[in-house]
Amino acid sequence: MSALTPYDKDAPSGLIERAGVAEAIALSPASEDAWIDVIRKMDEVYSELVQSQVELEQKNAELEEARQFIDSVVAAMTDVLIVCDRSGRIEQVNRALERLTGQSGKSLAGQPLEVLLAPGQEPLFDELRSKLHGGVGLGDCEVSFIDSTGTPTLLSMSCSSRCDHKGRFVGLVLIGRPVGELRRAYTELAAAHQDLRQAQKQLVFSEKMAALGRLVAGVAHELNNPISFVFGNMHALKRYGGRLTKYLQAIDRGESPDQLLKLRNSLKIDRILLDVGPLVEGTLEGAERVSEIVQDLRRFSSSQTEPLENFNVSRVVRTAISWVVKTTRIKPEVVLDLPDRLEVVSRRGPVHQIMVNLVQNAIDVMAEQPEPKLVVSGAREGQWVVVRVRDFGPGMSAVVMKRLFEPFFTTKPIGKGTGLGLYVSYGLAEELGGQLDGANHEDGGAVFTLRLPAQEVPDAEPSR
């Protein structure tokens, strides 16, 4: 703009014509302020437009990234993905379907879904569309597709409806996997599960053998008592048999009554006759005790699953304590609070193994105690038969409590324990339908509680 305006009083009269159209308009100061405001507003609008453009470009970049991310996820899917409109025409597929059918997504776009189906599958998708359109959900279903070789391939399909931003039904989303792959995966899973179960069984058996090795001396001592009793009785019966044979031979020779009476008194036949009955009964009792110990050993060491039986838990607990205590260097004071009979229907071998492990563990933790003491109690509590094993050791820390039943966890020095005893016992208790837990006793030491369901079998005879 010229330094002189048309409003200057000293401006030449022909200035307006020479200034051109832009300067020909005479502006008052108020009009000039208005134009300045207009220009300022235009600048603000332009700035806002620039900012909006920047934001729009950022949004477009984010949308592009999101699209690329979704495309990459869809492309990476190993499952087949098909997106259809509400009439069943294909809108989009992923690479998994392209590999399966040998057709590109572009060639399939807009075609009816039926072009992919094996003959006879069309009614299934008609029913599918009607159910999804009505809002009825569908679970997995098996559908045959034509693969790239023209062979029908069975897929396990999961189908769901697709809706727009207003919630209106606009199409279908189908995701599927060849049934062969699923069956192979299930087979591998079943094999892995079977291997795990086999490993667990082997673990239990290994722990049994380790425990049995520790208990050999105690079992031998248990066997020694009844065998010694039987051995002594049989020697006495042998002597008595010789005397009776001698007396009977005298009768066969026809000795006189006086001679027979004299011989009878010298051989002490009357005392023998009185003593034979108790000797035979004692021998049978000792033999039965040996048989019971052997049966206990068989149950303890067997890897076979035992049948359920009705037996006396108190006797099993006493046997376990006797076996363990007689093999340990530490001889604790043992306090038993058990009824004579505490019947339960369960499996004797696993119960015996649990008790051996609990008693052994209790004695081990009292290795440094000047006066070790073991308290074992049992009772019927409602629907449970409960046996508690309490030691008078140092108790358990919070860390030990959390890891108590973990496999291979032990507080013993290296080479002194495997950390499997409590873990195996916990698993056996669960298999029996029972529970095993450990806690610190309020008066010191730790207490482990075994609970077994106290069901009864009407026809089962109680065992010893």
Side-chain angles (χ1 to χ4, degrees), residues 74 77 79-85 88-98 100-101 105 108-117 125 128 132 143-146 155 157-162 171-177:
V74 172
M77 289 178 61
D79 291 351
V80 167
L81 172 67
I82 307 172
V83 180
C84 301
D85 62 16
R89 293 190 175 276
I90 298 172
E91 293 184 342
Q92 185 177 351
V93 299
N94 66 345
R95 291 180 184 174
L97 183 84
E98 292 178 346
L100 176 68
T101 61
L108 291 174
Q111 295 194 48
L113 187 62
E114 285 78 359
V115 300
L116 298 175
L117 304 180
F125 271 90
L128 177 67
L132 290 177
V143 183
S144 290
F145 280 65
I146 299 297
L155 278 75
M157 302 294 297
S158 176
C159 310
S160 59
S161 58
R162 184 167 60 92
L172 310 174
V173 177
L174 301 96
I175 300 176
R177 175 176 294 183

Side-chain angles (χ1 to χ4, degrees), residues 7-20:
Y7 302 103
D8 292 335
K9 62 182 179 179
D10 298 328
S13 59
L15 180 60
I16 294 178
E17 294 178 359
R18 294 193 302 269

Side-chain angles (χ1 to χ4, degrees), residues 36-38 59 67 132 169 241 341 358 380 419 423:
I36 292 173
D37 289 341
V38 170
K59 293 294 184 182
R67 186 188 66 80
L132 290 177
F169 175 77
R341 302 201 67 83
L358 294 182
R380 172 77 177 263
Y423 167 72

Side-chain angles (χ1 to χ4, degrees), residues 24-301:
I25 304 173
L27 297 175
S28 66
S31 298
E32 184 174 338
D33 291 341
W35 274 105
I36 292 173
D37 289 341
V38 170
I39 293 172
R40 186 181 296 112
K41 290 295 183 182
M42 291 177 64
D43 288 341
E44 292 176 0
V45 171
Y46 179 75
S47 297
E48 291 176 358
L49 286 174
V50 171
Q51 182 64 28
S52 298
Q53 180 67 22
V54 172
E55 293 178 356
L56 182 60
E57 291 178 356
Q58 290 177 345
K59 293 294 184 182
N60 286 336
E62 292 174 0
L63 287 174
E64 180 62 21
E65 290 180 0
R67 186 188 66 80
Q68 292 178 357
F69 174 76
I70 294 173
D71 289 344
S72 66
V73 171
V74 172
M77 289 178 61
T78 57
D79 291 351
V80 167
L81 172 67
I82 307 172
V83 180
C84 301
D85 62 16
R86 61 186 302 160
S87 63
R89 293 190 175 276
I90 298 172
E91 293 184 342
Q92 185 177 351
V93 299
N94 66 345
R95 291 180 184 174
L97 183 84
E98 292 178 346
R99 289 192 295 268
L100 176 68
T101 61
Q103 301 183 58
S104 66
K106 291 182 178 179
S107 65
L108 291 174
Q111 295 194 48
L113 187 62
E114 285 78 359
V115 300
L116 298 175
L117 304 180
Q121 298 291 299
E122 295 82 358
L124 175 63
F125 271 90
D126 292 338
E127 180 183 0
L128 177 67
R129 281 195 297 267
S130 63
K131 287 186 177 181
L132 290 177
H133 191 278
V136 179
L138 291 178
D140 292 343
C141 58
E142 293 186 353
V143 183
S144 290
F145 280 65
I146 299 297
D147 64 15
S148 57
T149 64
T151 305
T153 299
L154 192 63
L155 278 75
S156 176
M157 302 294 297
S158 176
C159 310
S160 59
S161 58
R162 184 167 60 92
C163 299
D164 61 11
H165 64 284
K166 295 183 178 180
R168 294 174 299 190
F169 175 77
V170 294
L172 310 174
V173 177
L174 301 96
I175 300 176
R177 175 176 294 183
V179 172
E181 294 183 12
L182 292 175
R183 288 175 180 167
R184 184 167 55 253
Y186 291 150
T187 301
E188 292 175 355
L189 180 61
H193 184 257
Q194 182 63 29
D195 290 343
L196 178 60
R197 291 181 62 87
Q198 187 63 33
Q200 288 177 328
K201 289 181 180 179
Q202 187 62 36
L203 197 62
V204 172
F205 186 70
S206 298
E207 177 61 20
K208 280 185 178 183
M209 293 300 101
L212 189 59
R214 296 191 300 266
L215 297 173
V216 166
V219 174
H221 192 281
E222 283 286 305
L223 286 170
N224 185 63
N225 288 338
I227 289 176
S228 298
F229 190 61
V230 171
F231 189 75
N233 286 354
M234 292 306 297
H235 270 287
L237 288 172
K238 183 179 181 180
R239 292 195 305 271
Y240 290 167
R243 294 180 185 181
L244 290 172
T245 300
K246 186 176 181 180
Y247 182 70
L248 291 173
Q249 288 174 347
I251 294 175
D252 290 339
R253 290 194 303 267
E255 299 285 347
S256 64
D258 292 339
Q259 290 175 330
L260 289 176
L261 180 60
K262 184 179 179 180
L263 182 62
R264 183 186 185 97
N265 291 332
S266 65
L267 295 176
K268 300 179 181 179
I269 298 300
D270 293 335
R271 196 181 71 175
I272 290 175
L273 294 176
L274 293 175
D275 203 21
V276 165
L279 281 173
V280 172
E281 290 178 0
T283 302
L284 287 174
E285 183 179 347
E288 288 175 357
R289 179 60 184 148
V290 171
S291 176
E292 290 172 0
I293 294 173
V294 172
Q295 290 296 326
D296 287 339
L297 276 173
R298 287 184 58 191
R299 294 189 188 95
F300 187 84
S301 60

Side-chain angles (χ1 to χ4, degrees), residues 307-329:
L308 291 172
E309 61 175 318
N310 190 8
F311 63 91
N312 183 8
V313 173
S314 296
R315 179 187 171 280
V316 173
V317 172
R318 289 189 175 94
T319 299
I321 295 172
S322 177
W323 286 15
V324 176
V325 170
K326 289 175 181 176
T327 62
T328 58
R329 177 181 57 84

